[in-house]
Structures are given as C-alpha cells and as structure tokens.
Amino acid sequence: MATRRGNRQPSKLIVILGPTAVGNTSLAIKLAKKFDGEIISADSRQVYKGMNLGTGKVTPAEMNHIPHHLLDVISPKTHFDVVKYQKKAYRAIHQVIQNKHLPFLVGGSPFYLYSIIQGWKFPKVGSLPTLRKNLEQESLETLLSTLAKLDPLYFKKVEKGNRRRIIRAIEIATQLGKVPPRENHPLFSSLVIGLKIPSSQLKILVRQRLKRRLHQGIIQEVYQLHEQGLSWKKLEEFGLEYKWISYYLENKISIEEMKTKLQTAIERFAKRQMTWFKKDPDIHWVQNEEEALFLIKKFLSTSES
C-alpha cells in the first residue's frame, strides 16, 4: 500500500494478476466496465507489435469498448525492459486518473507488475552497446558464470533462465561493481487481486488455449515475424510459443513434439509465476467476479487512515 505524501491521498490503483491462461484479462474487462475503468497491460510481450496470438493479446472486439494501454507500443526488433515499461506505465496510469477513470493494472509479468505496485527505483546506469552485443552471443551458462563472478549475491536470486535480465545485471555490475539493492517508492494505493484456479484445471485451460491458438494461426504468426526480419534466435529469446514454434519451423523438432514441449513449458511458466506471487502476502485471491467486486467496492469506499 502506498504511503501518504503530506496531506494528499495517493491515487487508487486496481491490480488484477495471476498465472497465464487463468483469465485475468476477461475478468479485468468486466470489472473495468462496472467501475468506469481503463486497463494498463502488465505483460512483457504484449508491448510488441505483431506478437498477438502468441501473447494472448486481447482483440478489439474482446475489449468491449474499454480503453487499453501499453499494447503494441514497440517493434519486437527494439530492446525493451522493465525500466522503459515503468515510465510508460506511469504515464498511462496518470492519464487515466486525469480522465477521472479508474486504472486497472492487469497481467502476469511479475517484474512489470511490481515495478508499479512497489514503485521500484532503478539504478541510473546506461547500457553498454558493445558489451551487450558481445553478451548476446554468449551461452546462458557463460552469462551465469560471468554474473556469479561480478556479483555473487545477486546471482543467487536472479531468475536463472532469463537471459535479458542476466545481461542487464552484468551491464550494471560491470559499471557499479555490483547490482545495488532495490528501493521501493510506491506512487499509488493499490488493491492487488489475484485470480487463482486449481492446477489441474489450469492445465486443461492451457491445453485448450494452445489448441485454439494453433487453429487461429499462431504458427503463421511466428513465420511472418521471421519473414519481417526477426532472426530465429531473437524469436527463441521471447520464449514459450515463439521459442518452440521457431524450433518446429527450423525443422529441429516435429509438430507433435512442439505441442508436447510447449504445453509443458507453459505449465512450468505458470508455476514460476505462482511461486513469485505466493511471496506477496497482500494479494487478495479470488475465484470469481463476485469476490473481486466485493473487494473493489470496499477498497473504493475507504480512505487511508
């Protein structure tokens, strides 16, 4: 919960989060409709243009006339990170508030979500283009080894499979000697609602969604992105659908193997998301719209003491 600044109450923010495929977006749209809200996406891949089916990006019809922000804001060829996201998200949220609407921060990317919820302060360290270019050519094992030597403490807590985050940590540690501890300065009073369903049901939803996306043309989407100039390596770095479908299009695996491995990868991704979210004791977990409605009404009717 955000703290006061003088006598001014912090603006209120509704956060809807949860693991992939659980239905965050559809729930948020229903709630935004009831509370005159606008939605700010907190998805690390939906910011990219042309990455639609693979990221589960909401369609114009599904938006139900609710304004959505931070979708299709940048080319997938361009580097984008949580620092850039935070700046754009702050700008979008303040604009929604100025419009006298209620901002809903919605998604499943923990870093993007908590950069706003907790108001992370990032070290003002620029990128090192030559170093970054060299690091992008290295294997994950080499990157992890490099980070472990530069900053053993940060190495212990970094997500070991996230190449982009590891590379950025190496950039920072190279310039500052280590990755400094994160400072939190929340700008908003946030109600954090988590949508949760049993893992067995989530597996079924993941399987159904994958089947639906394959029917809708997700393989063609990945192929078109490659034709537009994205290398297979770059597509693979986006993970999940883009990684495994790229492997299939490169003839590295069969279509059946692609489906099986992708299903497993998405399930593991959802598990990692839940592992992160379970660390937050302030999340109010709900199973349906009615429970979320009750929480929001209560939150909006009270002021911070």
Side-chain angles (χ1 to χ4, degrees):
M1 194 74 73
T3 56
R4 286 190 186 186
R5 293 186 173 186
N7 294 321
R8 191 182 70 180
Q9 295 285 357
S11 298
K12 293 191 173 184
L13 173 70
I14 309 297
V15 181
I16 308 293
L17 56 75
T20 185
V22 78
N24 294 324
T25 301
S26 58
L27 173 62
I29 290 172
K30 293 175 183 177
L31 294 170
K33 198 75 174 176
K34 292 180 183 294
F35 291 98
D36 197 18
E38 298 187 26
I39 291 175
I40 298 90
S41 171
D43 188 292
S44 63
R45 301 186 304 171
Q46 290 185 2
V47 295
Y48 295 111
K49 299 175 182 177
M51 296 176 65
N52 303 320
L53 291 172
T55 65
K57 195 176 295 175
V58 62
T59 66
E62 292 168 339
M63 290 180 185
N64 197 15
H65 306 292
I66 298 297
H68 281 62
H69 304 267
L70 270 63
L71 300 175
D72 300 317
V73 298
I74 198 165
S75 165
K77 297 178 184 179
T78 305
H79 173 70
F80 194 78
D81 57 28
V82 67
V83 178
K84 294 178 180 179
Y85 169 80
Q86 188 191 59
K87 291 178 181 178
K88 289 183 178 295
Y90 277 159
R91 191 178 304 123
I93 293 170
H94 285 305
Q95 185 60 57
V96 171
I97 294 170
Q98 287 177 10
N99 292 341
K100 300 189 183 302
H101 292 170
L102 183 62
F104 283 75
L105 184 68
V106 182
S109 298
F111 257 57
Y112 282 26
L113 286 161
Y114 283 94
S115 74
I116 305 300
I117 297 169
Q118 297 179 346
W120 290 350
K121 288 287 185 179
F122 296 102
K124 294 182 179 180
V125 178
S127 63
L128 300 173
T130 302
L131 175 63
R132 175 177 286 273
K133 184 177 180 180
N134 291 335
L135 291 174
E136 287 175 346
Q137 305 305 314
E138 299 289 355
S139 67
L140 180 60
E141 291 72 20
T142 299
L143 292 174
L144 288 170
S145 176
T146 301
L147 180 59
K149 293 175 183 176
L150 287 169
D151 191 337
L153 290 178
Y154 188 79
F155 168 78
K156 290 181 180 179
K157 59 185 179 181
V158 72
E159 186 182 342
K160 299 301 188 289
N162 194 318
R163 287 180 59 91
R164 286 185 292 178
R165 196 158 298 143
I166 294 166
I167 288 172
R168 179 56 181 159
I170 292 173
E171 280 186 325
I172 294 172
T174 298
Q175 297 176 73
L176 301 183
K178 65 176 183 178
V179 180
R182 192 166 51 227
E183 295 180 27
N184 299 339
H185 296 279
L187 302 184
F188 311 103
S189 174
S190 301
L191 170 66
V192 185
I193 297 174
L195 184 57
K196 185 179 181 181
I197 60 175
S199 58
S200 57
Q201 186 179 346
L202 184 61
K203 288 183 179 181
I204 294 172
L205 289 176
V206 168
R207 188 177 299 109
Q208 291 174 341
R209 188 183 68 172
L210 178 55
K211 184 178 180 180
R212 183 168 61 252
R213 289 181 180 180
L214 288 167
H215 178 72
Q216 291 171 330
I218 188 174
I219 294 176
Q220 289 83 348
E221 175 176 290
V222 177
Y223 178 77
Q224 287 172 2
L225 286 167
H226 178 64
E227 287 291 291
Q228 291 165 8
L230 280 178
S231 67
W232 291 124
K233 182 178 179 181
K234 181 67 174 177
L235 283 164
E236 290 163 15
E237 289 177 357
F238 285 117
L240 299 179
E241 294 86 352
Y242 297 98
K243 174 181 178 179
W244 293 104
I245 292 175
S246 290
Y247 284 165
Y248 163 66
L249 291 172
E250 293 175 84
N251 295 315
K252 292 182 177 179
I253 57 176
S254 69
I255 191 167
E256 290 305 319
E257 187 178 4
M258 178 268 285
K259 293 177 183 178
T260 300
K261 289 186 177 296
L262 181 50
Q263 172 79 20
T264 301
I266 297 172
E267 290 174 6
R268 289 175 177 171
F269 175 65
K271 187 175 181 179
R272 290 197 302 272
Q273 288 175 300
M274 285 304 300
T275 298
W276 179 292
F277 295 143
K278 285 178 180 177
K279 298 175 185 177
D280 184 356
D282 294 326
I283 296 178
H284 300 267
W285 292 103
V286 302
Q287 296 184 358
N288 53 56
E289 181 183 350
E290 288 70 29
E291 293 177 2
L293 275 170
F294 174 79
L295 290 169
I296 295 173
K297 287 178 180 178
K298 183 179 179 181
F299 175 68
L300 296 178
S301 66
T302 59
S303 301
E304 290 195 343
S305 57

